[in-house]
Amino acid sequence: MKLDIVTIFPDYFAPLDVSLLGKARQRGDVDAHVHDLRGWAHDRHRTVDDTPYGGGPGMVMKPEPWGEALDAIVPPGSSARLVVPTPSGRPFTQELAGAYAAEPWLVFACGRYEGIDARVIEDARSRMPVDEVSIGDYVLAGGESAVLVMVEAVTRLLPGVLGNAGSAADDSFAPGRMEALLEGPVYTKPPDWRGRPVPPVLMSGNHGAIARWRRDEALRRTAAIRPELIARNALDDADRRTLSE
Ligand SMILES: NC(=O)c1ccno1
């Protein structure tokens, strides 16, 4: 997967060199490049923002640097998808992360201030798919943190990035039988810690009973914390019995 990130704070993306993603980059599984938008701002102060038409607080990111940056990074006819983090975007979900993990090339545009001049998105849409995406119903100072979240959620799904390929399949919201359930509790050694034992079923070696217990815990957690998700799952009789307890 090819990733390009355009930002006025390139140092924000130092985390791309650590942990699983850093290893994926070293292996060449992820070809990530961070670009400083000011490289396409040609005045003496390398200005990237200006006052909003129509008045109002704050500043808006100028279209010219963005247009030149995207022209330079994404040649005409290439296969890139532009992703723009914004609180006014479509929700970023595990499903969308899975769709992005199948994309050959993602370009992330990190807005700052009050946002990017709308014509930048319009112009980009004339030559590539563009998604405006929100990681949640809150406002950040810029898109950089949202891009770090999305890049981690997407790249962990790429083959070979997670040490245990099955791990992603058991995630909360992972496609399949656990699709819209919150993951239940997990345990490791010691078997008893501060007088708190590990649930015995997890040490029984009975894989069917363990799978049932894990699903029951996920159902109970989801019903307690995110009851609106329950209806998104295909429930069997055992599930319904658990939820009726
Ligand atoms: N909620 C968001 O995704 C966001 C992006 C930039 N500011 O907020």
Side-chain angles (χ1 to χ4, degrees):
M1 167 177 274
K2 183 166 166 57
L3 295 178
D4 285 282
I5 301 168
V6 186
T7 171
I8 60 172
F9 294 116
D11 293 348
Y12 222 102
F13 293 97
L16 293 186
D17 290 324
V18 300
S19 187
L20 294 173
L21 181 52
K23 293 183 175 68
R25 290 183 80 184
Q26 288 162 11
R27 286 195 309 270
D29 294 337
V30 174
D31 176 21
H33 301 274
V34 180
H35 309 268
D36 186 343
L37 179 67
R38 293 190 192 278
W40 288 278
H42 306 303
D43 64 299
R44 185 155 60 96
H45 298 293
R46 301 176 72 190
T47 306
V48 293
D49 63 314
D50 204 334
T51 54
Y53 277 123
M59 304 290 274
V60 173
M61 298 193 95
K62 293 165 58 65
E64 299 95 329
W66 276 109
E68 288 189 34
L70 294 177
D71 289 349
I73 294 164
V74 185
S78 48
S79 60
R81 174 177 293 271
L82 179 64
V83 179
V84 185
T86 169
S88 58
R90 65 185 285 201
F92 181 69
T93 62
Q94 189 67 27
E95 181 181 10
L96 188 52
Y100 284 170
E103 291 277 348
W105 185 5
L106 295 175
V107 178
F108 290 94
C110 300
R112 278 273 153 174
Y113 312 110
E114 298 304 313
I116 302 171
D117 185 300
R119 292 167 293 180
V120 173
I121 308 301
E122 290 169 24
D123 179 67
R125 278 210 170 94
S126 69
R127 57 192 188 84
M128 73 185 91
V130 180
D131 292 342
E132 295 178 270
V133 179
S134 170
I135 63 167
D137 292 339
Y138 41 80
V139 181
L140 304 167
E144 286 80 6
S145 303
V147 170
L148 283 172
V149 165
M150 288 192 271
V151 165
E152 173 151 340
V154 171
T155 55
R156 68 186 288 277
L157 299 176
L158 297 176
V161 172
L162 283 182
N164 172 358
S167 173
D170 294 338
D171 285 344
S172 299
F173 307 106
R177 251 172 76 76
M178 297 289 279
E179 182 140 8
L181 292 179
L182 304 184
E183 199 170 348
V186 291
Y187 301 86
T188 187
K189 303 179 186 60
D192 191 296
W193 178 70
R194 293 186 179 180
R196 301 175 187 278
V198 170
V201 66
L202 296 179
M203 297 186 284
S204 67
N206 179 335
H207 298 297
I210 292 169
R212 183 67 257 172
W213 180 88
R214 283 176 169 159
R215 183 165 175 84
D216 286 347
E217 287 301 305
L219 285 163
R220 292 184 187 110
R221 185 175 184 87
T222 307
I225 298 173
R226 293 285 301 278
E228 78 280 7
L229 295 179
I230 291 292
R232 285 172 42 183
N233 291 273
L235 303 179
D236 60 24
D237 289 344
D239 297 337
R240 281 186 279 274
R241 280 195 298 274
T242 298
L243 290 171
S244 66
E245 286 168 354

